[in-house]
Amino acid sequence: MTQRARAVSRYFDEVAATYAARYADRGPAGHALAVRWQRLFELLGAVEGPALDAGCGPGLLLAALGERGIAAVGVDLSARMATEAARRAPAVVGTLDHLPFKGNAFGIVIAMGAVEYVDDDQAALAELTRVLRPDGVLLASFPNRFSPYRIWKNAVFYPVVDRLRPLVSRLRGRPVPASVTAYHHHYTVREVQARLQALGCLVEDVVSLNMQLVPSPLDEWLPWLSVALSRRLERFGRAPIGRLGTAFLVRAVKRR
Ligand SMILES: C[S@@+](CC[C@H](N)C(=O)[O-])C[C@H]1O[C@@H](n2cnc3c(N)ncnc32)[C@H](O)[C@@H]1O
């Protein structure tokens, strides 16, 4: 396992038991998850399963797909996440860049907030399309390289927090919690479109998500402002201003 995979797996193991509660959070973190989920179901359309949720986390999406009559299986690098998910639907431990499934096995392949954590993200995209059957639909989200919110967070906020975290933990006499802030790829829409096209997919739709304009840590101190602003702007997900979103969601179809 690479250093990145170890750090990512450790972080998501640590948060596995509490991750599902983030969906009920009324602040910016909860809004980001809620809007991604909403857009995902808008873009899904009437596609036949079975579905794969790659990087399924605690399996909330697997359960939601099941409720819509779509058989779904999850895979996650974090053993604890896979255990959480398996309480809701079939789920196994595995990595996106070596998926433990046969080719052309799924009508729907979903990867929400997962590809960016993989060392070899190109291999991950190749695997996601390999297990998708022809005419099947891939729905994947990607962090937006041009999001001002992310640029600030990566250049200023995270480096400061990452320096303070060990100090604060030591003062409290606690172990330093795992962090993945340094292990996060970022993308442009154009780059993702080109990569998926080269893998034999037709990119049908791209929508921006989570128009976060209030920089950290102000977004946490004034969550109502941050969420209210984002909510107002979400409708511009397909307009040029939508490129301010912290992420974008791609719907692609595998060519025959
Ligand atoms: C941000 S969480 C998103 C969870 C879920 N998809 C959701 O939208 O709520 C990212 C998930 O991807 C998983 N993950 C990260 N790298 C992975 C990899 N290489 N292979 C499989 N899963 C991975 C993590 O363990 C974690 O559960």
Side-chain angles (χ1 to χ4, degrees):
M1 216 190 242
T2 63
Q3 190 186 351
R4 175 195 289 260
R6 266 198 305 277
V8 168
S9 156
R10 185 181 153 219
Y11 172 78
F12 284 107
D13 272 349
E14 280 185 15
V15 300
T18 54
Y19 193 88
R22 293 187 190 180
Y23 277 85
D25 173 62
R26 303 184 70 147
H31 171 75
L33 292 169
V35 76
R36 190 163 79 190
W37 186 298
Q38 187 190 332
R39 292 288 191 228
L40 169 72
F41 281 105
E42 284 167 13
L43 260 57
L44 181 58
V47 192
E48 269 190 34
L52 170 67
D53 186 6
C56 61
L60 299 189
L61 183 59
L62 296 172
L65 289 165
E67 280 161 20
R68 286 164 170 81
I70 300 172
V73 56
V75 61
D76 203 285
L77 177 71
S78 149
R80 288 200 193 152
M81 281 293 197
T83 304
E84 284 289 321
R87 290 172 30 200
R88 300 181 165 100
V92 294
V93 176
T95 177
L96 260 76
D97 46 358
H98 291 100
L99 286 172
F101 303 104
K102 285 191 299 194
N104 302 342
F106 299 97
I108 306 166
V109 171
I110 297 171
M112 293 293 113
V115 173
E116 61 262 37
Y117 292 108
V118 188
D119 258 324
D120 188 347
D121 57 346
Q122 182 60 24
L125 291 178
E127 279 292 271
L128 294 173
T129 53
R130 178 185 67 78
V131 300
L132 190 62
R133 69 169 177 247
D135 287 338
V137 169
L138 170 68
L139 289 155
S141 74
F142 300 88
N144 173 18
R145 180 173 300 154
F146 296 138
S147 150
Y149 176 86
R150 277 199 193 275
I151 292 170
W152 162 263
K153 210 162 180 173
N154 291 325
V156 181
F157 182 72
Y158 282 148
V160 171
V161 169
D162 285 345
R163 277 188 171 236
L164 291 178
R165 191 180 283 125
L167 202 72
V168 172
S169 304
R170 225 173 292 137
L171 286 174
R172 288 178 167 174
R174 294 192 188 154
V176 183
S179 165
V180 280
T181 55
Y183 300 108
H184 218 221
H185 302 293
H186 296 90
Y187 303 86
T188 65
V189 170
R190 226 182 247 189
E191 166 195 353
V192 169
Q193 278 173 329
R195 288 206 205 182
L196 289 176
Q197 272 157 16
L199 289 166
C201 290
L202 179 69
V203 176
E204 288 191 335
D205 206 351
V206 180
V207 61
S208 291
L209 307 169
N210 194 28
M211 312 298 164
Q212 272 287 0
L213 296 183
V214 181
S216 300
L218 276 181
D219 59 337
E220 295 295 338
W221 296 342
L222 303 170
W224 53 272
L225 174 66
S226 159
V227 172
L229 256 178
S230 305
R231 279 219 184 99
R232 282 183 170 255
L233 294 171
E234 294 305 340
R235 78 184 98 135
F236 299 112
R238 286 187 180 79
I241 190 183
R243 296 288 152 95
L244 293 174
T246 63
F248 54 91
L249 180 61
V250 172
R251 184 187 204 272
V253 173
K254 182 169 169 180
R255 289 204 182 91
R256 279 172 186 271

